[in-house]
Amino acid sequence: MSDEIRMLPRAYHDAVEHWQRHNFPEYPELAKRWERYFPKDREFCLCARIEKDMPTEIQVGEHRGQPKALVPAELDPAAAEQLLAIIRAQASTEFGSIQQHHGTFERANDPQDQTWVLRVMAEELRHGYQMIHLLTSADWSSVTDVKPADMVEDILSMQTGSHVLAAFNLEYDSFGDSIVFAAFIDRVGKYQLTMQKVNAYAPMAASMPPMLREEAFHLAAGVIPMRRWMEAAARDRNAAMDVATIQKMVNKWFARGLEMFGDERGGQTNVKLGLKDMANREAQDLYVAECVKMLDDINTRYVRAKLPHRSRDEADAAYERITKGDTVEGITRDDLLRLPDRRFFRRRGEPAFQMIGFDGEELTDVEEYIAHCLEHLPQAYRASIDTKHWMEMQRGVAGGTIELKKAVASMPRLARVGGTCPCSKSVRWVIDVPEGPSGGGERVNP
Ligand SMILES: [Fe+2]
Ligand SMILES: [Fe+2]
């Protein structure tokens, strides 16, 4: 690992810590638990990390072979504009996921799972810090009139319901969502970061490897408990989770994960501009294949736990047969986890609001379709604002009263909440941004 640590200027660093005190009060607990749970890992640091020795020439697209940009003004203006939007959206996801995890953090039923999620949250905070570093360590005035302090303010003011991407506007129903989210949504994060390792803006590209090393832990924080849940469900029908419950959580998050790649038909511009090395559908295909593998691994462990009298090889052979439709000692395909059809419960992208069922079947009656989806989604999610809004949109699109484009663009709670620090003492997160060199040793662009 060779990365260099950068701190934000004092005002922004303070704003992030201020945000943390309000939105992530469990953070100090991590330092107390670190030694016990992660004795071999270097201690957590709230800082930006810049990878050293990265390629200096543009790796993909129209400007391939030319030097990478060191400041936004050196980028193609279209690329700079697009990149700014990407960084802001990325920052929103980092802070947004902490707010989601926070909602159910105290309800964890296992101290290790909880501590792993705590570390995930802290690392997301660091990722948000990293994105703010990208926004505030360079001059973006060639593509925006918004001052750096206001960009930071905008990001820190978002709440669950006003974030950029739908997956970050869903409340968790239980601590279980923290786990399934890590397995499915952080996995999309891994893809986005991997694609951006080639980014034509050198500081962006150099931000990716340290984040990716952390993302690997986030995936484990999802997959390992899911394996354990399934093994427990195989042994004990009264275990904390049963297969149907886990399956419904998978169904809730998978569709939102797919949508995070952007419309299946798009993404070529990002490649052309040298910002990512894959278009949307290509990346989504790889993601789906990886999710299939993940569920295969989890299902294998379920079957092994269900058939403890068989050797591992025998159990794995039984699993093979079950996936092909056989029943082995009472276990059928329906007892295992499955990915829904990619078009199931979609609200964005190519299959948005098409009435495609869990197994890819086409439904024609909207009330039938809604009932079908509800049957495959968690009970607690049924009563959410998100579900209510989706049902309205689905009915509107099916009945021709809401234009598809409008339904795709709509979110249940649109209003950006501005200047919302709940402290009585201040109305902004970023207080008094000094000009010139300051606290963290980096320049703030006035
Ligand atoms: Fe992250
Ligand atoms: Fe993550």
Side-chain angles (χ1 to χ4, degrees), residues 271-289:
V271 180
K272 227 167 59 192
L273 295 172
L275 301 176
K276 296 184 184 182
D277 61 1
M278 274 187 276
N280 299 347
R281 193 191 303 273
E282 196 187 347
Q284 200 200 59
D285 283 347
L286 292 177
Y287 169 75
V288 172

Side-chain angles (χ1 to χ4, degrees), residues 51 250 279 339 356 391:
E51 187 80 354
V250 168
L339 280 187
I356 309 290
M391 290 198 288

Side-chain angles (χ1 to χ4, degrees), residues 291-360:
C291 289
V292 169
K293 260 172 87 184
M294 164 174 66
L295 292 193
D296 250 342
D297 163 72
I298 295 172
N299 284 332
T300 305
R301 287 158 197 275
Y302 173 84
V303 172
R304 285 179 196 158
K306 258 303 209 209
L307 306 173
H309 48 283
R310 296 200 185 200
S311 72
R312 195 178 254 225
D313 285 349
E314 285 168 355
D316 292 356
Y319 172 66
E320 278 294 312
R321 284 177 50 208
I322 295 163
T323 56
K324 295 198 173 90
D326 286 1
T327 303
V328 179
E329 297 193 36
I331 313 170
T332 71
R333 189 73 194 88
D334 290 342
D335 297 316
L336 305 172
L337 294 176
R338 270 191 295 166
L339 280 187
D341 187 278
R342 277 192 222 203
R343 298 162 300 168
F344 169 75
F345 189 43
R346 290 287 302 274
R347 318 190 297 210
R348 281 174 183 234
E350 199 170 37
F353 296 103
Q354 288 179 15
M355 297 194 284
I356 309 290
F358 180 86
D359 285 307

Side-chain angles (χ1 to χ4, degrees), residues 131-347:
M131 292 301 114
I132 291 182
H133 177 261
L134 288 170
L135 293 175
T136 59
S137 62
D139 179 4
W140 290 92
S141 63
S142 58
V143 281
T144 181
D145 295 333
V146 183
K147 303 249 175 328
D150 292 331
M151 289 196 245
V152 176
E153 191 67 28
D154 183 47
I155 291 162
L156 297 183
S157 301
M158 293 180 198
Q159 302 282 340
T160 309
S162 65
H163 282 285
V164 179
L165 300 176
F168 301 85
N169 287 326
L170 297 185
E171 317 266 2
Y172 289 177
D173 303 321
S174 72
F175 182 78
D177 271 337
S178 267
I179 303 299
V180 179
F181 184 95
F184 281 88
I185 303 300
D186 284 77
R187 190 176 302 276
V188 182
K190 182 189 88 169
Y191 272 87
Q192 298 294 0
L193 302 178
T194 306
M195 287 191 277
Q196 289 165 2
K197 256 186 355 194
V198 302
N199 202 281
Y201 183 53
M204 179 72 169
S207 294
M208 298 300 117
M211 290 171 72
L212 272 165
R213 287 193 278 273
E214 288 157 333
E215 216 56 62
F217 175 77
H218 303 182
L219 298 190
V223 174
I224 292 173
M226 279 181 77
R227 283 178 186 160
R228 239 190 294 116
W229 289 349
M230 284 290 279
E231 285 165 348
R235 289 190 200 106
D236 175 6
R237 69 188 176 117
N238 293 325
M241 292 282 181
D242 62 7
V243 181
T245 303
I246 303 167
Q247 179 69 59
K248 287 177 177 179
M249 292 194 284
V250 168
N251 302 347
K252 173 180 174 181
W253 293 107
F254 180 60
R256 304 291 79 77
L258 293 172
E259 287 166 357
M260 286 167 65
F261 287 91
D263 191 290
E264 281 85 348
R265 294 157 291 194
Q268 293 81 2
T269 314
N270 283 331
V271 180
K272 227 167 59 192
L273 295 172
L275 301 176
K276 296 184 184 182
D277 61 1
M278 274 187 276
N280 299 347
R281 193 191 303 273
E282 196 187 347
Q284 200 200 59
D285 283 347
L286 292 177
Y287 169 75
V288 172
E290 207 177 278
C291 289
V292 169
K293 260 172 87 184
M294 164 174 66
L295 292 193
D296 250 342
D297 163 72
I298 295 172
N299 284 332
T300 305
R301 287 158 197 275
Y302 173 84
V303 172
R304 285 179 196 158
K306 258 303 209 209
L307 306 173
H309 48 283
R310 296 200 185 200
S311 72
R312 195 178 254 225
D313 285 349
E314 285 168 355
D316 292 356
Y319 172 66
E320 278 294 312
R321 284 177 50 208
I322 295 163
T323 56
K324 295 198 173 90
D326 286 1
T327 303
V328 179
E329 297 193 36
I331 313 170
T332 71
R333 189 73 194 88
D334 290 342
D335 297 316
L336 305 172
L337 294 176
R338 270 191 295 166
L339 280 187
D341 187 278
R342 277 192 222 203
R343 298 162 300 168
F344 169 75
F345 189 43
R346 290 287 302 274
R347 318 190 297 210

